[in-house]
Amino acid sequence: MDESTPRSLLTGYQPLYAQVKDSLVKRIGSGSWKPGEMLPSETELAAEYQVSQGTVRKALMALEADRLIVRRQGRGTYVARHSRDETLFQFFRIVDLDNQRLAPTSCVLSHRKQRASNEQAARLNIEPGSMLHAIIRVRSLDQAPAIFERVFVPVALMPDLRVQANEVMEEEMYVIYQEIFGISIARASERIAAVSATSEEAKLLNLNTGAPLLEIMRIAYDVNARAVELRISRCNTDHARYAAEVN
């Protein structure tokens, strides 16, 4: 029996619904159910886990709150599939001065492979010197360049990751991770800081060198809490703001 086998997990100190939820998360993360695939019914899951249907329902409600599944009335429960709009709504926190959400466009400047520095390795929980995909891009808001961004992804997770340089990206990175590599981003942690624009950033964002920027350092995690991406975004906030809800 492996750790995701239903009968092997209902022996811990967590409530039953939490144990069922954890098992379902592991099965989604391992690819047992693909993005967009329908899960077994509550009755079937209750029989499989040897718990009540109410326990399964509570576990599914928790998964839905975490945006890992989508429940469609009369049609069933499905593994959540990232879309561009959903990804932006969940993870892109830049709004205009009237607090209206903004939809960026992205142009990749370069994509190469490099070895992880000690800091990058620590943030991604990998060994220093491990190979990373290093992507540099500029994101525009209302057709004006506003964000200089560096994205780092372990090559071991996505050996064949490719984005085309000098072209507008048609899809969000998290959609690419899920659709091509089966890796679903479930959450992200962010740290923000005030920084000054380098000469490269200033040129690309049409600013003066040393202009104030907002830096957002994000680590994105998959459904199994594995660090998948380190992203450093440096944003011109002359006409935009960072907005986050605190519960």
Side-chain angles (χ1 to χ4, degrees):
M1 258 180 226
D2 65 30
E3 62 181 355
S4 64
T5 301
R7 292 187 63 184
S8 70
L9 61 84
L10 304 182
T11 56
Y13 296 101
Q14 285 183 304
L16 281 180
Y17 88 89
Q19 295 181 57
V20 172
K21 177 196 172 186
D22 286 349
S23 175
L24 294 174
V25 167
K26 289 174 183 175
R27 295 169 76 179
I28 291 171
S30 69
S32 294
W33 297 300
K34 305 296 184 185
E37 184 175 346
M38 186 168 70
L39 271 62
S41 68
E42 289 182 3
T43 302
E44 291 170 323
L45 288 172
E48 184 179 359
Y49 282 93
Q50 299 182 12
V51 297
S52 71
Q53 192 171 334
T55 296
V56 169
R57 184 176 299 117
K58 193 171 182 180
L60 293 176
M61 289 173 64
L63 288 177
E64 185 177 29
D66 290 342
R67 300 176 184 264
L68 297 181
I69 62 171
V70 177
R71 308 185 77 187
R72 296 173 181 156
Q73 187 67 33
R75 295 176 59 188
T77 301
Y78 299 80
V79 178
R81 169 173 276 154
H82 290 319
S83 68
R84 183 177 188 276
D85 289 344
E86 186 272 343
T87 297
L88 288 173
F89 180 82
Q90 184 175 358
F91 294 105
F92 190 73
R93 299 187 173 99
I94 302 299
V95 299
D96 66 17
L97 299 184
D98 294 321
N99 207 38
Q100 299 299 307
R101 287 186 174 272
L102 295 169
T105 57
S106 303
C107 181
V108 175
L109 303 181
S110 66
H111 177 192
R112 61 189 180 88
K113 293 179 182 179
Q114 66 180 49
R115 295 197 178 275
S117 66
N118 290 341
E119 180 182 358
Q120 292 166 337
R123 295 189 185 282
L124 289 168
N125 196 28
I126 58 177
E127 290 295 323
S130 300
M131 295 306 298
L132 295 175
H133 293 286
I135 298 166
I136 298 177
R137 64 180 181 173
V138 169
R139 310 189 84 179
S140 296
L141 302 173
D142 292 333
Q143 301 183 334
I147 305 170
F148 180 86
E149 196 163 76
R150 293 180 173 91
V151 179
F152 303 98
V153 179
V155 171
L157 292 182
M158 304 182 212
D160 300 323
L161 176 64
R162 292 185 180 87
V163 292
Q164 188 65 43
N166 301 314
E167 289 188 7
V168 174
M169 290 189 67
E170 298 295 333
E171 199 51 272
E172 288 297 305
M173 296 297 298
Y174 296 173
V175 176
I176 293 172
Y177 301 163
Q178 186 184 70
E179 293 295 327
I180 299 179
F181 302 99
I183 296 175
S184 299
I185 300 301
R187 68 178 183 88
S189 65
E190 293 183 337
R191 296 175 61 182
I192 60 176
V195 297
S196 299
T198 65
S199 58
E200 178 186 19
E201 294 163 350
K203 181 178 179 180
L204 290 167
L205 300 180
N206 297 326
L207 300 170
N208 294 323
T209 300
L213 297 176
L214 178 69
E215 179 183 271
I216 305 169
M217 180 181 295
R218 174 193 294 175
I219 304 172
Y221 300 88
D222 70 4
V223 297
N224 287 324
R226 175 179 56 180
V228 171
E229 179 201 84
L230 169 63
R231 181 180 301 201
I232 302 171
S233 308
R234 291 191 157 200
C235 313
N236 176 11
T237 57
D238 285 350
H239 304 290
R241 296 289 185 269
Y242 176 91
E245 295 184 4
V246 179
N247 297 321

